[in-house]
């Protein structure tokens, strides 16, 4: 059975990420972000959202492992920042329904959502410059980088929250990530 670990970065929806994966029939464990990656045995890692880049614990160390990584909101931002991209304050601010344009229909994480999807996202902070090796896979009117992928390293990120009911095709994002983890 596929096992996914959700690394808790103190986000308000982290428990919903675990539940969404568990509802797909996956063995799922929620671990505190102070947990060292070497103490975790998983086929994939989800870096949860959270309120503050200063409270990400050992999350960056999970990027060095062999398991695919999906960063959600803050999780995507920490991937970008750790790997040479840039994060800044968003012009839009808080949570809102957003129409997202999928710009890469062959992307393994978000391509199946093309040509667009409706999501629930916070844009208080956002990726403004992609790290080297990453492709832009989704954008919106309020955020130039709604999703990004580095398929060579199996590192993926979405600005939105696929785990909440307001995101129309959130379950499909998790299904696609599971498929990546099973390859």
């Amino acid at each position: 059975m596929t096992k996914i670990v959700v690394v808790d970065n103190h986000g308000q929806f982290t428990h919903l990420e675990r539940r969404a994966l568990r509802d797909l029939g996956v063995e799922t464990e929620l671990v505190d972000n102070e947990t060292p990656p070497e103490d975790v045995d998983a086929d994939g890692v989800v870096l949860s959202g959270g309120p503050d880049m200063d409270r990400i614990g050992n999350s960056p160390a999970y990027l060095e492992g062999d398991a695919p990584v999906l960063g959600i909101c803050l999780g995507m931002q920490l991937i970008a920042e750790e790997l040479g991209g840039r994060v800044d304050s968003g012009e839009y601010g808080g949570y809102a329904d957003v129409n997202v344009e999928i710009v890469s229909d062959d992307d393994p994480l978000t391509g199946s959502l093309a040509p667009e999807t409706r999501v629930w996202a916070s844009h208080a902070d956002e990726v403004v410059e992609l790290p080297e090796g990453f492709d832009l896979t989704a954008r919106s009117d309020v955020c130039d980088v709604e999703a990004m992928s580095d398929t060579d390293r199996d590192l993926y990120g979405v600005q939105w929250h696929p785990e909440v009911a307001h995101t129309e095709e959130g379950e499909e994002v998790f299904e696609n990530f599971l498929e990546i983890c099973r390859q």
Side-chain angles (χ1 to χ4, degrees), residues 27-150:
E27 182 182 347
T28 309
E29 183 181 359
L30 181 64
V31 299
D32 185 88
N33 67 8
E34 295 297 329
T35 305
E38 57 270 14
D39 291 355
V40 171
D41 180 29
D43 300 302
V45 174
V46 173
L47 298 176
S48 82
D52 193 338
M53 198 66 87
D54 293 332
R55 297 179 59 201
I56 58 173
N58 288 322
S59 291
Y62 286 87
L63 303 179
E64 299 166 16
D66 293 331
V69 175
L70 169 60
I72 296 174
C73 197
L74 177 86
M76 178 174 102
Q77 295 161 20
L78 78 85
I79 291 171
E81 202 162 87
E82 288 295 320
L83 299 178
R86 199 164 60 81
V87 175
D88 207 345
S89 296
E91 290 181 24
Y92 191 79
Y95 285 100
D97 272 327
V98 178
N99 268 341
V100 171
E101 174 193 359
I102 305 302
V103 298
S104 177
D105 62 4
D106 63 347
D107 179 67
L109 184 71
T110 61
S112 67
L113 308 178
E116 68 178 28
T117 190
R118 190 141 184 93
V119 303
W120 184 250
S122 168
H123 293 93
D125 294 305
E126 58 194 33
V127 175
V128 294
E129 185 179 314
L130 292 172
E132 189 173 327
F134 280 80
D135 293 316
L136 173 70
T137 58
R139 65 176 165 234
S140 71
D141 289 343
V142 297
C143 178
D144 290 338
V145 183
E146 288 283 359
M148 64 182 196
S149 292
D150 181 337

Side-chain angles (χ1 to χ4, degrees), residues 114 131 164:
V164 300

